[in-house]
Amino acid sequence: MEFFNQLILAVSVTSFITFQVLFHYLSSWVSTRVSPGFKKLSEKQKIEWNSRTVSTFHALVVGIFCLYILHFDDAVNEDPVWGDPALVKLNVAITTGYLISDLLLIIFHWKAIGDRFFVVHHLAALYAYYYVLGQGLLPYFANFRLLAEFSTPCVNQRWFFEVLGYPKSSKPNIANGVMMAVIFFLVRIAVMPIYYERMFSIYGTEAFYRLPFGGRSAWMCSSICLDVMNVMWMHRIARGCYKVLRYRRKPEEDAQQNGKIE
């Protein structure tokens, strides 16, 4: 058990170092070779570009790991409160390293990427993950939360298109925007009933009362906090997607009307 705890700590530290190296060195090196437009960006834009590259990489790694656990980790799925948290801890350790790394980058580069919502989001997640890593509590719910990471690549890709000068009405931008809205809704909004139904099914059981007060508070408070922000972000994304589709449709409707007049 002591060895496993040391392994979790090692994974968290390795994760932190990896994401720092990716931000400071690898992202710029790869981006200059993949996207010529990267060299033309301002220093502030390059900072955010590297931050979003790191974010995308993290999302893909933990998202895939999350799906594996949801499909194949029977111990966690059968006992969402006290099931064997070994695999979940590894995944959460990767995310913990990333969150700490990203928090430091946000603070250090506040003028470029500072955002109060992200600070609150990261702190709420770290507060909840402390109980997962420290006491192995609620592994199913901790892992389920990581499904939300699948929306991150599309959100970042929208920003990449924007700074590279892609018109909002371009096909790549519209396709990514629609995909972003759909995936964000599926992994952050549509899953809420499943998540809270499972939460309410646990409430009042022996497994629930065995949880320490701090663990219960972290679980419930962080869940509500994160979902309030998810709803707010979904509202922004839906409005943006609607505006782009409407802007795209308007020239087509005008062209059709002009054709009828002629």
Side-chain angles (χ1 to χ4, degrees), residues 92 103 165 242:
V92 170
L103 266 178
Y242 173 75

Side-chain angles (χ1 to χ4, degrees), residues 161-162 165-177 244 247-248:
F161 281 147
E162 181 180 340
Y166 281 71
K168 290 185 178 180
S169 58
S170 64
K171 289 184 179 179
N173 223 331
I174 290 177
N176 180 73
V244 170
Y247 177 82
R248 173 76 175 180

Side-chain angles (χ1 to χ4, degrees), residues 1 6 8 71 83 85 90-91 102 133 137 167 181-182 185 189 204 227 242-243:
M1 189 64 181
Q6 292 177 356
I8 294 300
H71 281 85
L90 290 174
N91 208 18
D102 199 48
L133 295 179
L137 307 180
V182 171
F185 175 78
I189 306 300
D227 283 331
Y242 173 75
K243 288 180 180 179

